[in-house]
Amino acid sequence: MTKTAFLLCTALAALPVAAQAERGVDGDLKIHYWQVATHLNPYLSGIAKEVEAASLVLEPLARFDEKGGLVPWLAESIPTVDNGGVAADMRKITWKLRDGLKWSDGSAVTANDAVFTWQYCTHPNAGCAALAMFDGVSEVKALDDRTVEISFSEPKPYPYVPLVSSTTPILQAAQFKDCLGERMAQCTVQNFKPIGTGPYKVDEFLTNDIAVYSVNPHFRFADKPHFASVSIKGGGDPAGAARAVLETGEVDYAWNLQIAPDVLAAMAQRGIGAPVVDYGAAVEFLFFNMTNPDPSLGEARSTAQGGVHPILGDIRVRQALSMAIDRTLLTEALYGELGRPTCNVVPAPELYASTTTAGCELPDVDRAKALLDEAGWKDTNGDGIRDKDGHKLALSFMTSTNGVRQDTQMLIQQWWLEIGVQTELRNVAASVYFGGDVGNPDTRQKFYADVQMYTDNSKGQDPEAFLARWSCKGIPSPANQWQGSNVQRFCDPAFDALSQQFRSAASLPERGRISKEMNDILVNSYTISPLVHRGNVSGKAKTLEGVRMNSWDSQIWNIMDWHRAK
């Protein structure tokens, strides 16, 4: 008997008799994430490869659907002021858990698990990747076994952030009780095989390789999920993943097919699979390191203790680098209809998207050269590369291994050469680059380079928590286990003040105004340079149904509804 068949039989045998006729009838589901998961704990990375692989097992109170709307998940309903779930003064939200919820080990889910999850992420020295999601939370209390009350230190008109979406699911207190603070990253068993409430439980996990799941026998819906087992295989690159789902049929679903649109279209013509596309708020960004990544600094490298970046500390240099890029050409050449040039950190929804950056899509090479002249960078040697005080204007540029990203690097390298900047290109395997291992020198958080590039986006349509990532406290450092998404080390008290205002802004127009102001501060700091508003593209087998592509939460958020075409 094959391993897959054994797991299938084991999963079915463990199910209640009434459910066996409905669950698991579609066999094995094969998924490919070329950015392979390092662990299954979303609180350790916040990156899609871990968050989404964990989402089959760990669940939040509510999720965002494919349109960005809130849907109750472990909660019975969405609390509002009208139904009494949100206090009139906006300082409390009360969630009611569904009746009879159980963990996959058969024990009862209680409100105390939600309380613990808050304590787990906000514990001192924890280095929690989702810490910004709990901004403004003063207390989480269990009113009874099924009632969770979240209190805020100030009015919170949009309270749907903590314990909402795949980035902040509820953990089992009994399993993680010994994993607080600095022990968060050390709990290998818990981080590799979390006990959850989702449609599946973890049978096997090999870091940077594969996760194998079988049906959770205590899942709350007797007729779901339809697949008896799931495997998420990692490794390779987007092109290989696309071939596997669109040409060879080796997998049923392949995530994030960031390849040239003409290549994608040619593969889809085979008729075995089809791309699934959705636009959310995903943007491909450049990040400019505001700290010094010089290896000679030792442990102070790329930290505030190591000092300001000797080149990129000058805003004129950063602005010149951004202005030299032809975003329109880059988007047309590498993304086609699956991308739109942008200079906004928040490109959507329209309510929150700034209009002040319009016109940046085209380069201004003359202005870029003039800025470098003003900054004192001149080509004194006649070799085309500018220098200053005996130092070349030379930068290292890092990103993950990916054909489109390497092509982007080469285009930018050429554009920067035209203004007298020398660029060394480097790419790192995605599993390493997006990993959360504090001992790994090549992660995006450590940022041991001058410039780096990757995609990021908000969960749900309201960008409050997403923008809060760039507050001063979001800077990764040894003190927080190198967690945090403020990778460029941006820090501006005016930005932090607006982030504070955002928490208590009640009206949609006011929230839109603050979002735009925060966006503009970030963009005009030139520590972050948005390039392309990306459409999210994945691929599915023609025989796979029930997929509802989601750019606002986990792509596989509704995997319990996926089924084989009859």
Side-chain angles (χ1 to χ4, degrees):
M1 179 182 292
T2 66
K3 184 175 183 179
T4 298
F6 172 78
L7 290 173
L8 174 58
C9 292
T10 302
L12 289 174
L15 295 174
V17 174
Q20 290 184 22
E22 301 294 337
R23 289 178 175 171
V25 295
D26 288 332
D28 185 42
L29 175 68
K30 295 180 179 179
I31 299 175
H32 187 95
Y33 271 56
W34 55 272
Q35 289 184 14
V36 56
T38 306
H39 52 75
L40 296 178
N41 185 344
Y43 290 101
L44 280 179
S45 80
I47 293 296
K49 64 190 183 76
E50 279 89 30
V51 170
E52 303 203 4
S55 71
L56 283 72
V57 176
L58 299 174
E59 299 181 305
L61 293 170
R63 277 188 168 145
F64 297 100
D65 65 17
E66 72 275 24
K67 296 180 181 179
L70 271 172
V71 289
W73 217 253
L74 292 183
E76 281 187 341
S77 60
I78 302 298
T80 65
V81 173
D82 290 342
N83 65 24
V86 176
D89 65 1
M90 305 288 182
R91 288 179 177 268
K92 289 182 180 179
I93 182 170
T94 304
W95 296 87
K96 193 78 170 181
L97 294 173
R98 293 174 184 264
D99 190 20
L101 286 176
K102 290 186 177 181
W103 296 103
S104 60
D105 64 1
S107 61
V109 179
T110 74
N112 287 319
D113 293 302
V115 175
F116 170 82
T117 303
W118 165 65
Q119 295 170 336
Y120 172 84
C121 185
T122 58
H123 194 283
N125 302 318
C128 179
L131 187 60
M133 307 294 277
F134 294 93
D135 272 355
V137 175
S138 58
E139 185 180 20
V140 179
K141 185 189 301 184
L143 300 185
D144 57 42
D145 282 350
R146 290 178 54 208
T147 309
V148 181
E149 180 186 83
I150 301 175
S151 299
F152 301 98
S153 56
E154 58 194 359
K156 186 82 166 178
Y158 188 83
Y160 310 112
V161 178
L163 303 180
V164 172
S165 91
S166 56
T167 56
T168 56
I170 294 178
L171 301 177
Q172 187 191 58
Q175 185 186 27
F176 282 86
K177 61 182 172 61
D178 296 324
C179 302
L180 296 172
E182 294 180 352
R183 282 196 47 77
M184 177 185 278
Q186 300 169 13
C187 290
T188 303
V189 173
Q190 292 86 341
N191 296 332
F192 283 13
K193 288 189 174 183
I195 295 169
T197 55
Y200 294 97
K201 61 184 181 68
V202 184
D203 288 333
E204 179 183 12
F205 180 78
L206 299 177
T207 187
N208 298 326
D209 185 7
I210 193 171
V212 180
Y213 312 79
S214 63
V215 173
N216 170 6
H218 300 285
F219 188 52
R220 57 192 173 276
F221 297 114
D223 57 345
K224 298 177 183 180
H226 302 288
F227 287 98
S229 60
V230 179
S231 60
I232 299 182
K233 177 68 176 174
D237 56 29
R243 282 192 293 272
V245 72
L246 301 177
E247 290 191 324
T248 66
E250 298 170 64
V251 300
D252 299 299
Y253 189 85
W255 170 84
N256 191 16
L257 304 184
Q258 192 180 13
I259 62 176
D262 57 332
V263 176
L264 184 69
M267 289 183 178
Q269 289 180 354
R270 292 290 299 272
I272 295 174
V276 284
V277 183
D278 185 49
Y279 263 99
V283 173
E284 186 82 353
F285 293 107
L286 286 183
F287 301 92
F288 298 114
N289 197 341
M290 295 297 290
T291 55
N292 193 343
D294 190 334
S296 67
L297 293 171
E299 293 184 359
R301 184 184 186 188
S302 284
T303 70
Q305 288 69 38
V308 177
H309 196 289
I311 297 174
L312 297 175
D314 189 331
I315 190 173
R316 293 171 295 187
V317 176
R318 304 193 302 271
Q319 185 176 0
L321 294 171
S322 182
M323 296 183 79
I325 297 170
D326 190 336
R327 290 167 173 78
T328 299
L329 177 58
L330 187 156
T331 303
E332 290 176 352
L334 301 181
Y335 291 85
E337 295 181 357
L338 302 178
R340 303 161 183 164
T342 188
C343 283
N344 276 336
V345 175
V346 179
E350 185 177 357
L351 169 67
Y352 301 105
S354 175
T355 58
T356 63
T357 60
C360 77
E361 296 85 358
L362 297 175
D364 190 341
V365 175
D366 290 339
R367 177 60 179 150
K369 290 179 178 179
L371 284 167
L372 293 178
D373 287 340
E374 291 173 19
W377 293 95
K378 306 288 180 67
D379 179 11
T380 62
N381 297 317
D383 60 359
I385 304 300
R386 295 171 183 261
D387 59 274
K388 179 181 178 181
D389 300 329
H391 297 283
K392 290 282 190 181
L393 183 44
L395 302 171
S396 59
F397 181 5
M398 178 174 73
T399 189
S400 63
T401 304
N402 171 329
V404 169
R405 289 200 168 121
Q406 271 66 82
D407 288 344
T408 301
Q409 280 185 305
M410 288 188 287
L411 279 174
I412 292 175
Q413 181 186 49
Q414 181 58 40
W415 289 326
W416 286 352
L417 182 61
E418 291 172 6
I419 62 171
V421 181
Q422 180 178 307
T423 313
E424 175 193 0
L425 305 182
R426 181 170 169 237
N427 65 81
V428 179
S431 59
V432 175
Y433 183 65
F434 293 111
D437 182 359
V438 295
N440 176 4
D442 294 322
T443 63
R444 66 185 182 97
Q445 293 100 328
K446 286 195 172 176
F447 201 172
Y448 288 166
D450 302 310
V451 185
Q452 64 176 333
M453 176 176 66
Y454 60 87
T455 291
D456 206 350
N457 62 280
S458 63
K459 295 296 183 186
Q461 295 195 2
D462 188 281
E464 177 193 327
F466 177 63
L467 286 169
R469 294 181 181 185
W470 285 285
S471 62
C472 298
K473 67 181 180 181
I475 296 174
S477 71
N480 61 16
Q481 308 295 312
W482 294 102
Q483 291 298 333
S485 293
N486 188 350
V487 295
Q488 74 268 37
R489 285 61 165 157
F490 164 81
C491 185
D492 184 338
F495 183 88
D496 281 15
L498 281 170
S499 182
Q500 187 78 11
Q501 289 179 33
F502 208 163
R503 294 181 195 169
S504 56
S507 70
L508 285 176
E510 180 69 359
R511 296 184 72 77
R513 179 191 65 78
I514 294 173
S515 171
K516 292 171 184 177
E517 286 190 28
M518 293 177 74
N519 176 93
D520 291 351
I521 288 176
L522 273 174
V523 171
N524 292 327
S525 76
Y526 291 98
T527 62
I528 184 171
S529 187
L531 300 175
V532 182
H533 179 195
R534 288 182 51 193
N536 286 322
V537 186
S538 293
K540 74 171 192 69
K542 288 287 183 70
T543 60
L544 179 63
E545 295 184 348
V547 175
R548 291 157 63 188
M549 180 66 165
N550 191 335
S551 296
W552 304 108
D553 208 300
S554 167
Q555 281 195 21
I556 49 181
W557 68 290
N558 72 323
I559 197 167
M560 65 179 172
D561 295 320
W562 291 15
H563 59 277
R564 194 71 69 192
K566 299 298 187 285

